[in-house]
Amino acid sequence: MKTVLRLIGSTFILAMLVWALTINLAIAPSQAAIRQLEEAPGQMVYQSRQTLKDQQGGSWQAIAFKRIRPDDTAVIYLRLVGFPGTAEIDHSQPLTLTDSMGKTLTAADVSHDMFTDKAQMEPDVGQYDLQPILMQLELAMPLRLTLATLDQPEIILNVSPDVVGEWQSLTVQK
């Protein structure tokens, strides 16, 4: 009788574990997917959107995107957007990307591509050219992004290796 009760108890516990695992897999957040948009006839945009935290715990939207123009030229940019009043980005400085081994790369600020009039430029939005450096980033290493600001110490954003991999996957989008 004790053996039967133990078997029933063990089976019940195993069934509960399988059920809990199934529920967790069903509601676990999925990795963000690359989004595809047609901005205009013949002009495609592929995007990866992530939320990154700065050293103060503030949230930043990180949108890595590849734009393919009708003439088949392509650019890959990273747009960083803070909440209004978060920081005033210094657009005269590049974005600095540093991996966990200390390798440092820079991405040129191309925020002027977003706005035709400099007066329209949002102080808490920066856009950077990732194309020349994207494939130099190591997939297995986290990154630290450093944003120069005009009104406070630099902003530091941490990026996981999974996000770096998603950004690099933009290069194969056609």
Side-chain angles (χ1 to χ4, degrees):
M1 186 67 172
K2 282 186 177 183
T3 306
V4 171
L5 288 176
R6 281 188 187 162
L7 182 60
I8 291 172
S10 296
T11 304
F12 178 75
I13 290 171
L14 182 60
M16 293 302 292
L17 287 172
V18 169
W19 176 78
L21 180 60
T22 303
I23 294 297
N24 280 340
L25 289 175
I27 62 172
S30 62
Q31 182 70 10
I34 301 295
R35 299 175 186 181
Q36 177 181 339
L37 309 160
E38 185 171 12
E39 285 186 316
Q43 182 166 307
M44 297 301 298
V45 173
Y46 299 90
Q47 295 181 346
S48 163
R49 290 178 174 255
Q50 304 288 337
T51 300
L52 305 176
K53 296 283 186 184
D54 64 24
Q55 73 271 31
Q56 304 299 324
S59 294
W60 288 73
Q61 186 71 234
I63 306 155
F65 64 96
K66 179 178 186 177
R67 177 172 286 128
I68 302 172
R69 297 184 179 118
D71 64 359
D72 278 340
T73 60
V75 294
I76 300 177
Y77 290 154
L78 175 63
R79 183 174 297 158
L80 297 172
V81 182
F83 286 103
T86 303
E88 190 172 342
I89 296 172
D90 184 352
H91 294 288
S92 70
Q93 299 297 314
L95 175 67
T96 303
L97 301 88
T98 307
D99 70 20
S100 58
M101 298 299 289
K103 178 180 175 184
T104 300
L105 300 167
T106 58
D109 188 301
V110 291
S111 297
H112 60 274
D113 287 355
M114 287 189 298
F115 304 101
T116 54
D117 181 7
K118 200 168 184 174
Q120 294 176 327
M121 212 179 259
E122 296 293 328
D124 49 8
V125 178
Q127 186 161 290
Y128 304 91
D129 188 358
L130 281 186
Q131 196 156 357
I133 63 168
L134 188 56
M135 297 314 289
Q136 296 177 48
L137 301 174
E138 297 291 334
L139 277 176
M141 291 190 199
L143 275 181
R144 186 179 73 227
L145 306 181
T146 305
L147 278 165
T149 64
L150 297 172
D151 61 344
Q152 60 183 295
E154 61 196 16
I155 301 289
I156 307 228
L157 304 168
N158 293 311
V159 181
S160 75
D162 291 338
V163 172
V164 174
E166 191 168 302
W167 292 352
Q168 286 182 340
S169 74
L170 290 169
T171 62
V172 298
Q173 302 299 322
K174 299 187 188 261

